[in-house]
Short mmCIF file of all heavy atoms in Angstrom, two decimals:
data_model
loop_
_atom_site.label_atom_id
_atom_site.label_comp_id
_atom_site.label_asym_id
_atom_site.label_seq_id
_atom_site.Cartn_x
_atom_site.Cartn_y
_atom_site.Cartn_z
N GLN U 235 63.04 128.17 46.22
CA GLN U 235 63.65 129.22 47.04
C GLN U 235 62.64 129.64 48.11
O GLN U 235 61.44 129.64 47.85
CB GLN U 235 64.03 130.43 46.19
CG GLN U 235 65.04 130.14 45.09
CD GLN U 235 65.31 131.37 44.24
OE1 GLN U 235 65.32 132.50 44.73
NE2 GLN U 235 65.55 131.17 42.95
N LEU U 236 63.14 130.00 49.29
CA LEU U 236 62.27 130.40 50.38
C LEU U 236 62.68 131.77 50.89
O LEU U 236 63.85 131.98 51.25
CB LEU U 236 62.33 129.38 51.52
CG LEU U 236 61.59 129.73 52.81
CD1 LEU U 236 60.10 129.95 52.57
CD2 LEU U 236 61.81 128.63 53.86
N THR U 237 61.73 132.70 50.90
CA THR U 237 61.96 134.05 51.42
C THR U 237 60.92 134.35 52.48
O THR U 237 59.71 134.30 52.20
CB THR U 237 61.85 135.10 50.29
OG1 THR U 237 62.88 134.87 49.32
CG2 THR U 237 62.00 136.50 50.85
N PHE U 238 61.37 134.63 53.69
CA PHE U 238 60.46 135.04 54.76
C PHE U 238 60.33 136.55 54.79
O PHE U 238 61.31 137.28 54.60
CB PHE U 238 60.98 134.55 56.12
CG PHE U 238 60.76 133.09 56.39
CD1 PHE U 238 61.83 132.22 56.48
CD2 PHE U 238 59.47 132.59 56.53
CE1 PHE U 238 61.63 130.87 56.73
CE2 PHE U 238 59.26 131.23 56.78
CZ PHE U 238 60.34 130.38 56.88
N ILE U 239 59.12 137.02 55.04
CA ILE U 239 58.88 138.44 55.26
C ILE U 239 58.50 138.61 56.73
O ILE U 239 57.43 138.15 57.15
CB ILE U 239 57.79 138.99 54.34
CG1 ILE U 239 58.20 138.80 52.87
CG2 ILE U 239 57.52 140.46 54.63
CD1 ILE U 239 57.24 139.38 51.86
N PRO U 240 59.38 139.20 57.53
CA PRO U 240 59.13 139.32 58.97
C PRO U 240 57.91 140.19 59.27
O PRO U 240 57.51 141.04 58.47
CB PRO U 240 60.42 139.98 59.50
CG PRO U 240 61.44 139.78 58.43
CD PRO U 240 60.68 139.76 57.14
N ALA U 241 57.34 139.96 60.45
CA ALA U 241 56.23 140.76 60.97
C ALA U 241 55.04 140.79 60.02
O ALA U 241 54.32 141.80 59.94
CB ALA U 241 56.70 142.19 61.28
N THR U 242 54.83 139.70 59.28
CA THR U 242 53.63 139.55 58.45
C THR U 242 53.11 138.14 58.62
O THR U 242 53.83 137.23 59.04
CB THR U 242 53.91 139.80 56.96
OG1 THR U 242 54.78 138.77 56.45
CG2 THR U 242 54.57 141.16 56.72
N GLY U 243 51.83 137.95 58.28
CA GLY U 243 51.20 136.66 58.45
C GLY U 243 50.79 136.03 57.13
O GLY U 243 51.57 135.99 56.18
N HIS U 244 49.54 135.58 57.07
CA HIS U 244 49.07 134.75 55.96
C HIS U 244 48.95 135.51 54.64
O HIS U 244 48.92 134.90 53.58
CB HIS U 244 47.71 134.16 56.33
CG HIS U 244 47.31 132.98 55.50
ND1 HIS U 244 48.03 131.80 55.47
CD2 HIS U 244 46.26 132.78 54.65
CE1 HIS U 244 47.44 130.94 54.66
NE2 HIS U 244 46.37 131.51 54.14
N MET U 245 48.86 136.83 54.71
CA MET U 245 48.79 137.67 53.51
C MET U 245 49.90 138.72 53.57
O MET U 245 49.64 139.91 53.78
CB MET U 245 47.41 138.31 53.39
CG MET U 245 46.28 137.28 53.28
SD MET U 245 44.62 138.02 53.45
CE MET U 245 44.41 138.76 51.83
N PRO U 246 51.15 138.32 53.38
CA PRO U 246 52.26 139.28 53.51
C PRO U 246 52.16 140.42 52.51
O PRO U 246 52.66 141.52 52.78
CB PRO U 246 53.51 138.42 53.26
CG PRO U 246 53.01 137.24 52.47
CD PRO U 246 51.63 136.98 53.00
N GLN U 247 51.49 140.20 51.38
CA GLN U 247 51.33 141.26 50.39
C GLN U 247 50.43 142.38 50.89
O GLN U 247 50.48 143.51 50.39
CB GLN U 247 50.78 140.68 49.07
CG GLN U 247 49.32 140.27 49.07
CD GLN U 247 49.08 138.87 49.60
OE1 GLN U 247 49.88 138.31 50.32
NE2 GLN U 247 47.96 138.28 49.21
N VAL U 248 49.60 142.09 51.90
CA VAL U 248 48.74 143.11 52.50
C VAL U 248 49.47 143.83 53.64
O VAL U 248 49.38 145.05 53.76
CB VAL U 248 47.43 142.47 53.01
CG1 VAL U 248 46.60 143.49 53.80
CG2 VAL U 248 46.62 141.90 51.85
N GLU U 249 50.20 143.09 54.45
CA GLU U 249 50.86 143.68 55.61
C GLU U 249 52.15 144.42 55.27
O GLU U 249 52.52 145.38 55.94
CB GLU U 249 51.13 142.60 56.67
CG GLU U 249 49.86 142.03 57.29
CD GLU U 249 50.13 141.29 58.57
OE1 GLU U 249 50.26 141.94 59.62
OE2 GLU U 249 50.23 140.05 58.51
N ASN U 250 52.87 143.96 54.23
CA ASN U 250 54.09 144.65 53.82
C ASN U 250 54.20 144.59 52.30
O ASN U 250 54.99 143.81 51.75
CB ASN U 250 55.32 144.02 54.48
CG ASN U 250 56.57 144.89 54.33
OD1 ASN U 250 56.68 145.70 53.40
ND2 ASN U 250 57.52 144.73 55.23
N PRO U 251 53.41 145.41 51.59
CA PRO U 251 53.40 145.36 50.12
C PRO U 251 54.76 145.60 49.49
O PRO U 251 55.11 144.93 48.50
CB PRO U 251 52.41 146.47 49.74
CG PRO U 251 51.58 146.71 50.95
CD PRO U 251 52.46 146.41 52.11
N GLU U 252 55.54 146.54 50.03
CA GLU U 252 56.82 146.87 49.42
C GLU U 252 57.78 145.68 49.43
O GLU U 252 58.39 145.35 48.40
CB GLU U 252 57.47 148.06 50.15
CG GLU U 252 56.68 149.35 50.04
CD GLU U 252 55.59 149.48 51.10
OE1 GLU U 252 55.37 148.50 51.87
OE2 GLU U 252 54.94 150.53 51.14
N ALA U 253 57.91 145.02 50.58
CA ALA U 253 58.81 143.88 50.69
C ALA U 253 58.34 142.73 49.81
O ALA U 253 59.15 142.02 49.19
CB ALA U 253 58.93 143.42 52.15
N PHE U 254 57.02 142.55 49.73
CA PHE U 254 56.47 141.47 48.91
C PHE U 254 56.78 141.70 47.43
O PHE U 254 57.28 140.80 46.74
CB PHE U 254 54.97 141.36 49.13
CG PHE U 254 54.31 140.27 48.33
CD1 PHE U 254 54.31 138.97 48.79
CD2 PHE U 254 53.72 140.55 47.11
CE1 PHE U 254 53.72 137.94 48.05
CE2 PHE U 254 53.13 139.54 46.35
CZ PHE U 254 53.13 138.23 46.83
#
Side-chain angles (χ1 to χ4, degrees):
Q235 299 177 35
L236 174 59
T237 297
F238 283 113
I239 300 184
T242 66
H244 198 62
M245 299 169 77
Q247 73 275 22
V248 173
E249 293 197 82
N250 193 336
E252 296 85 355
F254 180 83

